[in-house]
């Protein structure tokens, strides 16, 4: 292909592009006589280009094509023209002189718009921007969706004050508390109040990821790093870049991975499994546990250096039994929530309230919420009385429940499971240890804990 042919091709492309442009494009000579108008001019004005080309604006006024027009010069350049046409359409034109390389005036170039078309495009553009922004906000809110932080006790108020104070910092935070106590609510609140709220919030349940997959899930892997790694994959830590990561059940991370996690926290870099190139990360680390990490450090089950890296600011959440004033408030909140969800209007009697507030709630807020949902679904009639409450709220020992009554075997089996699981969780420090002594799989025990709201 010759140089000349290339120029001709480019010229042809240029002419076709102008002719098919969305906006009107007009060229006129030194006397203002139009010698070129693209297809969009006819589409915008409703006037055939054959009636426009070869004429000046004065000619078009005399022919009745232009009914009225006004011209204004904005800061000398460009010339703006508003025209009302016989078709009833109003057009807006911006015109500028064109000069050659020697500064000699060649012609005028004008862009041709319809007022209503500009308004429609402007509104559509901004509506679409609003839609996209709304969708993005909805996705973020869904990701961070959780019940409001409900509580009226002195302990909860103090906790809220501390969270508000530390959320704006970049310090690593260790959230400590029993299972179901509200560690996730506190973590999400910290992210939503922080300066990272517009960026990802990634929650990693270290106790739910199988040990064999944990390294690849956290740090990612390169293609061919192991059997089945058909393509490269970023890890959960990379997904949290510029945002916040919650390492839930941090005590479940194996020792050999604790070393690698410590390195990531120190260097703010992550290296994928099978890779050699470190990737920069900007992450705020939160960790949560229901275990005594100090004791684990003494036992050699948790690295001391990692413990101190994560425990820059400790936040201890008291169990629900130590926040008695929160129980009645939470009962009302969850009752309202599930009344709305199931389109009913049930109420708690005073007797039911007394028993609910007197109960120790070993499963904390999660157990309370599950109980309230169960009561709203299963209770017949508009009132939830003490007789409707689960039997476990009335007695703590299975053998003391109903000494003079026969308990259906499925129900007895369920209550026995609950008691045994509680005993195992209280006695052993990890879910894996508890599962081993109960002689069930780790995953089976996790499912039962979720089922019973423990």
């Amino acid at each position: 292909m010759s140089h000349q042919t290339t120029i001709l091709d480019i010229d042809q492309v240029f002419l076709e592009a102008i002719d098919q442009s969305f906006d009107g494009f007009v060229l006129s000579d030194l006397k203002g006589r139009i010698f070129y108008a693209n297809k969009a001019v006819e589409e915008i004005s409703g006037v055939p280009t054959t009636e426009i080309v070869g004429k000046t604006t004065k000619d078009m006024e005399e022919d009745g094509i232009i009914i009225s027009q006004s011209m204004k010069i904005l800061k000398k350049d460009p010339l703006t023209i508003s025209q009302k046409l016989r078709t009833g359409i109003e057009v807006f034109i911006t015109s500028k002189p064109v000069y050659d390389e020697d500064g000699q005036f060649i012609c005028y170039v004008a862009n041709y718009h319809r007022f209503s078309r500009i308004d429609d495009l402007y509104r559509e553009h901004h509506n679409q921007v609003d839609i996209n922004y709304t969708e993005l906000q909805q996705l973020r809110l869904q990701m961070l969706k959780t019940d409001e932080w409900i509580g009226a006790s002195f302990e909860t108020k103090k906790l809220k004050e501390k969270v508000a104070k530390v959320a704006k910092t970049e310090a690593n935070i260790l959230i400590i508390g029993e299972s179901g106590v509200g560690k996730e609510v506190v973590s999400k609140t910290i992210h939503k109040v922080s300066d990272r709220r517009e960026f990802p919030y990634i929650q990693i349940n270290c106790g739910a990821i199988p040990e064999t997959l944990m390294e690849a899930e956290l740090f990612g892997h390169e293609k061919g790093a192991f059997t089945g790694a058909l393509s490269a994959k970023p890890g959960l830590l990379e997904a949290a870049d510029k945002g916040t990561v919650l390492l839930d059940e941090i005590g479940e991370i194996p020792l050999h991975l604790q070393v690698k996690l410590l390195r990531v926290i120190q260097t703010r870099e992550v290296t994928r499994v099978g890779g050699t190139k470190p990737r920069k990360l900007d992450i705020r680390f939160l960790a949560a546990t229901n275990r005594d990490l100090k004791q684990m450090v003494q036992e050699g089950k948790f690295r001391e250096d990692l413990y101190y890296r994560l425990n820059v600011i400790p936040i201890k959440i008291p169990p629900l039994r130590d926040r008695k004033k929160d129980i009645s408030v939470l009962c009302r909140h969850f009752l309202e929530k599930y009344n709305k969800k199931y389109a009913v209007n049930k109420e708690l009697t005073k007797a039911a309230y007394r028993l609910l507030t007197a109960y120790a709630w070993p499963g904390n807020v999660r157990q309370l919420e599950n109980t309230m949902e169960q009561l709203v679904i299963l209770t017949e009639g508009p009132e939830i009385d003490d007789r409707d409450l689960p039997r476990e709220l009335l007695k703590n020992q299975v053998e003391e429940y109903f000494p003079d009554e026969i308990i259906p075997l499925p129900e007895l089996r369920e209550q026995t499971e609950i008691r045994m699981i509680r005993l195992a969780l209280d006695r052993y420090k990890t879910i894996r240890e508890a599962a081993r002594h109960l002689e069930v799989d780790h995953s089976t025990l996790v499912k039962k804990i979720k089922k019973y709201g423990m």
Side-chain angles (χ1 to χ4, degrees), residues 69-81:
Q69 70 173 337
S70 66
M71 298 186 186
K72 292 180 182 177
I73 298 175
L74 302 180
K75 296 180 181 178
K76 298 183 180 180
D77 191 24
L79 171 68
T80 62
I81 306 169

Side-chain angles (χ1 to χ4, degrees), residues 300-367:
K301 295 178 180 177
F302 199 86
R303 290 184 62 94
E304 186 175 21
D305 44 10
L306 178 58
Y307 171 71
Y308 285 114
R309 276 284 176 180
L310 294 171
N311 193 32
V312 176
I313 298 177
I315 293 180
K316 189 168 184 178
I317 307 175
L320 193 53
R321 60 183 173 274
D322 294 340
R323 298 182 277 134
K324 286 291 184 183
K325 285 189 177 180
D326 288 350
I327 296 175
S328 58
V329 178
L330 286 164
C331 284
R332 285 192 292 271
H333 170 72
F334 291 130
L335 181 64
E336 182 181 338
K337 174 182 175 178
Y338 290 110
N339 270 336
K340 185 177 180 181
K341 180 177 179 178
Y342 297 109
V344 293
N345 189 27
K346 298 187 179 182
E347 294 181 353
L348 287 165
T349 64
K350 289 183 179 179
Y353 260 122
R354 276 196 302 272
L355 286 174
L356 288 166
T357 52
Y359 185 55
W361 297 107
N364 293 293
V365 179
R366 187 184 297 128
Q367 183 191 6

Side-chain angles (χ1 to χ4, degrees), residues 133 136-141 143-144 168 188 190-201 239-244:
Y133 178 76
L136 181 60
Q137 288 299 98
Q138 286 173 346
L139 285 171
R140 284 178 176 148
L141 289 172
M143 175 188 67
L144 291 170
K168 290 288 186 181
K188 288 182 177 180
I190 290 170
H191 177 73
K192 287 190 282 188
V193 175
S194 77
D195 294 334
R196 296 175 179 266
R197 58 188 171 274
E198 298 297 327
F199 297 100
Y201 170 86
D241 192 32
K242 294 186 174 60
T244 305

Side-chain angles (χ1 to χ4, degrees), residues 18 23-28 34 36-38 41 78-79 81 92-98 107-113:
I18 292 174
D23 290 327
F25 188 84
V26 174
L27 295 174
S28 53
I34 296 170
Y36 173 81
N38 69 350
V41 171
L79 171 68
I81 306 169
F92 181 71
I93 302 166
T94 52
S95 179
K96 287 183 67 176
V98 178
C107 64
Y108 292 100
V109 59
N111 293 104
Y112 207 81
H113 314 274

Side-chain angles (χ1 to χ4, degrees), residues 131 341 424 447:
I131 289 167
K341 180 177 179 178
K447 288 176 185 175

Side-chain angles (χ1 to χ4, degrees), residues 159-399:
L159 192 59
K160 286 182 178 181
E161 288 173 4
K162 185 171 185 179
V163 165
K165 189 174 182 180
V166 303
K168 290 288 186 181
T169 72
E170 287 293 299
N172 297 335
I173 296 175
L174 180 62
I175 306 167
I176 308 158
E178 294 178 4
S179 180
V181 83
K183 297 188 290 293
E184 184 182 328
V185 174
V186 170
S187 175
K188 288 182 177 180
T189 301
I190 290 170
H191 177 73
K192 287 190 282 188
V193 175
S194 77
D195 294 334
R196 296 175 179 266
R197 58 188 171 274
E198 298 297 327
F199 297 100
Y201 170 86
I202 303 294
Q203 181 171 328
I204 304 170
N205 189 331
C206 303
I209 303 173
E211 192 172 325
T212 53
L213 300 177
M214 193 177 292
E215 185 174 11
E217 287 294 313
L218 285 177
F219 308 111
H221 62 78
E222 297 293 356
K223 182 179 179 181
F226 50 83
T227 304
L230 302 177
S231 60
K233 180 186 174 185
L236 293 170
L237 295 178
E238 279 187 66
D241 192 32
K242 294 186 174 60
T244 305
V245 63
L246 170 65
L247 298 166
D248 199 8
E249 295 188 36
I250 184 66
E252 301 295 323
I253 292 187
L255 276 168
H256 72 281
L257 293 185
Q258 290 179 26
V259 179
K260 193 167 182 178
L261 177 61
L262 175 64
R263 193 177 302 119
V264 171
I265 296 172
Q266 288 174 330
T267 64
R268 289 299 194 266
E269 292 180 343
V270 64
T271 302
R272 294 177 181 176
V273 177
T276 56
K277 181 183 177 183
R279 299 166 187 271
K280 285 287 183 184
L281 288 182
D282 177 15
I283 295 176
R284 203 272 180 84
F285 283 94
L286 309 178
T289 184
N290 60 358
R291 301 179 61 185
D292 187 343
L293 292 186
K294 274 189 179 179
Q295 181 65 32
M296 289 183 67
V297 169
Q298 291 172 8
E299 294 170 356
K301 295 178 180 177
F302 199 86
R303 290 184 62 94
E304 186 175 21
D305 44 10
L306 178 58
Y307 171 71
Y308 285 114
R309 276 284 176 180
L310 294 171
N311 193 32
V312 176
I313 298 177
I315 293 180
K316 189 168 184 178
I317 307 175
L320 193 53
R321 60 183 173 274
D322 294 340
R323 298 182 277 134
K324 286 291 184 183
K325 285 189 177 180
D326 288 350
I327 296 175
S328 58
V329 178
L330 286 164
C331 284
R332 285 192 292 271
H333 170 72
F334 291 130
L335 181 64
E336 182 181 338
K337 174 182 175 178
Y338 290 110
N339 270 336
K340 185 177 180 181
K341 180 177 179 178
Y342 297 109
V344 293
N345 189 27
K346 298 187 179 182
E347 294 181 353
L348 287 165
T349 64
K350 289 183 179 179
Y353 260 122
R354 276 196 302 272
L355 286 174
L356 288 166
T357 52
Y359 185 55
W361 297 107
N364 293 293
V365 179
R366 187 184 297 128
Q367 183 191 6
L368 173 57
E369 179 173 5
N370 291 345
T371 299
M372 293 307 300
E373 183 174 16
Q374 176 186 331
L375 290 171
V376 169
I377 294 170
L378 298 180
T379 303
E380 295 183 8
E383 285 192 338
I384 299 171
D385 199 6
D386 56 346
R387 293 177 301 237
D388 300 310
L389 301 182
R391 291 172 180 173
E392 65 191 74
L393 268 69
L394 307 175
K395 299 288 182 182
N396 289 325
Q397 301 296 321
V398 172
E399 58 270 19

